[in-house]
Amino acid sequence: MKYQKRSSEEQIVMSISAAGALCILPFLIIRIYNQDWHIALLNFSTIAITSGLFAYVYLTKRTLLARWLLSITCMFIASGTIWLKGPDQIVWTYPAIICLFFILPPNIAALLSAFTVTLIGCLLFSDISLLDNVRFYFSSLITFIFSYAFADRMLYQQAQLMILSYKDPLTGVGNRRAMEEQLISTVQLQRQRPSHRKASLLLIDLDEFKKINTQQGHACGDNILAQTAALIEHLLSSDQHLFRFGGEEFVVLANNDLEQTINLAENIRETINDFQFEKGIHLTVSIGLAEYQFDETSFEWLGRADTAMHQAKAAGRDLCCLAAS
Ligand SMILES: Nc1nc2c(ncn2[C@@H]2O[C@H](COP(=O)(O)OP(=O)(O)OP(=O)(O)O)[C@@H](O)[C@H]2O)c(=O)[nH]1
């Protein structure tokens, strides 16, 4: 069977649904045994809903509707149980709050859990002492604050990790992973809509870069790479994206017609040639340029740009070469 990779959202919804159904099952059996039909019906409905949501996410990989339904189920199973069985079921409030923060964005979870706590508070108000009321609100508030802080922190760290995983740490431009994903989506778009505006690739290789490392040191080489990336990035429009392909090679993905991309390549070559780097270092680049051809893969497209770049090297460097069709 083919292994299906699941997003973290799918995993969270599926595990909470499965855990919910499995944890409630023993209670359902006890309720049926005790002929406690109202709560048995509530437990049965919860198991049916959570199992259904598990199957829905498993089969469709969609989570938006499932997350909302699961949150509403969490809220109502907690308040329903307390309403039917009385104050000794109060403990179900805390897992319900934590669950909401796992499933929904922190601000929405905060609103829904405040609603749930208020609802349960109203149901319990006249059944428990004033001190127990205060205890309930305080313990719910503490659970709420910890869950909010944890969920908010997780969200922030997730966003930071996402940025880091697509960024080259030395130059700050997109890394190879970012480039590959962008290339794949560009190829998909070009295949689906051949009439869509053209896309071209520039493969930019720094000439005789090894000499800089050998003569001036690796740290100086690093600075030159970062400066080169900044110089190129400065020349790009919003339709053109720079990535570090690896080592001293960069790629520009340009969603322009060929003429514009040829101008861009010449502009990059001249700008770097004219620039005075630190310690009086002078640098040139060789550029291979390839326009996307219908139905080729991203690998083939990049391969043609690479061949053109090597032709530029072979022809004496500091040149732009257009790939053969
Ligand atoms: N400082 C520094 N050097 C790097 C980095 N990545 C790759 N290099 C160096 O880049 C150099 C690339 O050398 P080569 O592939 O032989 O090419 P070249 O000297 O540029 O010569 P041509 O490409 O033929 O013009 C190697 O010396 C690598 O060590 C890096 O992140 N920092």
Side-chain angles (χ1 to χ4, degrees):
M1 204 175 89
K2 202 178 156 201
Y3 174 71
Q4 285 190 313
K5 203 174 162 204
R6 301 211 169 257
S7 69
S8 59
E9 280 187 353
E10 284 171 60
Q11 286 175 13
I12 287 173
V13 176
M14 283 168 64
S15 44
I16 291 180
S17 306
L22 290 174
C23 289
I24 293 168
L25 187 62
F27 290 97
L28 173 65
I29 295 167
I30 294 168
R31 308 303 184 199
I32 293 173
Y33 182 75
N34 292 337
Q35 301 193 350
D36 199 347
W37 300 116
H38 287 114
I39 190 101
L41 184 65
L42 182 72
N43 287 346
F44 176 77
S45 323
T46 310
I47 292 174
I49 293 171
T50 47
S51 311
L53 290 176
F54 180 93
Y56 172 76
V57 176
Y58 182 82
L59 294 172
T60 65
K61 295 183 142 217
R62 292 192 186 150
T63 58
L64 186 65
L65 180 69
R67 279 192 295 152
W68 277 100
L69 287 178
L70 194 57
S71 309
I72 292 166
T73 309
C74 275
M75 287 163 58
F76 285 100
I77 178 74
S79 26
T81 308
I82 293 163
W83 182 51
L84 289 170
K85 297 298 290 177
D88 61 335
Q89 302 293 319
I90 209 166
V91 288
W92 293 114
T93 313
Y94 312 116
I97 294 176
I98 295 169
C99 236
L100 290 176
F101 280 98
F102 259 102
I103 305 168
L104 295 172
N107 291 341
I108 299 174
L111 275 178
L112 289 188
S113 45
F115 172 76
T116 311
V117 170
T118 313
L119 180 69
I120 294 172
C122 292
L123 291 173
L124 288 177
F125 188 70
S126 53
D127 294 343
I128 55 175
S129 67
L130 186 64
L131 186 63
D132 281 344
N133 264 299
V134 173
R135 249 189 225 131
F136 167 70
Y137 279 111
F138 262 96
S139 52
S140 300
L141 184 67
I142 289 169
T143 313
F144 175 96
I145 291 171
F146 284 164
S147 306
Y148 187 92
F150 181 72
D152 196 50
R153 188 84 209 143
M154 284 285 287
L155 210 66
Y156 173 77
Q157 285 179 342
Q158 241 174 26
Q160 292 297 309
L161 278 176
M162 190 65 123
I163 293 170
L164 284 178
S165 68
Y166 286 101
K167 207 170 179 175
D168 172 53
L170 177 65
T171 60
V173 302
N175 62 13
R176 187 175 180 147
R177 178 206 303 254
M179 182 202 78
E180 283 171 356
E181 287 191 11
Q182 190 88 55
L183 272 190
I184 288 169
S185 59
T186 305
V187 166
Q188 269 171 357
L189 187 70
Q190 294 282 326
R191 280 180 169 171
Q192 281 161 7
R193 290 160 50 192
S195 59
H196 193 262
R197 65 192 166 145
K198 297 288 180 203
S200 297
L201 272 184
L202 302 183
L203 186 57
I204 306 163
D205 190 288
L206 277 51
D207 293 330
E208 299 184 323
F209 189 67
K210 201 187 281 175
K211 273 190 199 159
I212 295 174
N213 272 337
T214 323
Q215 291 166 5
Q216 308 291 345
H218 208 266
C220 174
D222 281 354
N223 287 342
I224 304 278
L225 281 171
Q227 272 181 317
T228 307
L231 280 175
I232 298 172
E233 204 160 37
H234 199 68
L235 301 172
L236 304 184
S237 69
S238 57
D239 282 340
Q240 299 160 342
H241 305 281
L242 176 65
F243 306 93
R244 186 172 175 206
F245 185 39
E248 24 69 90
E249 282 187 325
F250 294 90
V251 162
V252 173
L253 176 58
N255 293 305
N256 306 123
D257 62 39
L258 189 59
E259 199 185 322
Q260 272 176 298
T261 318
I262 291 173
N263 288 340
L264 173 68
E266 266 308 312
N267 203 359
I268 292 172
R269 190 193 63 73
E270 277 172 20
T271 304
I272 292 174
N273 194 342
D274 291 346
F275 191 76
Q276 187 80 45
F277 288 88
E278 63 185 61
K279 298 179 181 171
I281 291 169
H282 174 248
L283 190 71
T284 60
V285 291
S286 300
I287 303 180
L289 196 161
E291 189 181 41
Y292 182 74
Q293 285 185 343
F294 184 68
D295 232 17
E296 70 183 337
T297 63
S298 57
F299 187 72
E300 289 162 345
W301 187 16
L302 200 55
R304 285 193 304 113
D306 190 51
T307 308
M309 186 273 290
H310 280 105
Q311 283 167 355
K313 291 263 182 202
R317 298 186 171 82
D318 191 21
L319 282 173
C320 302
C321 246
L322 182 61
S325 309

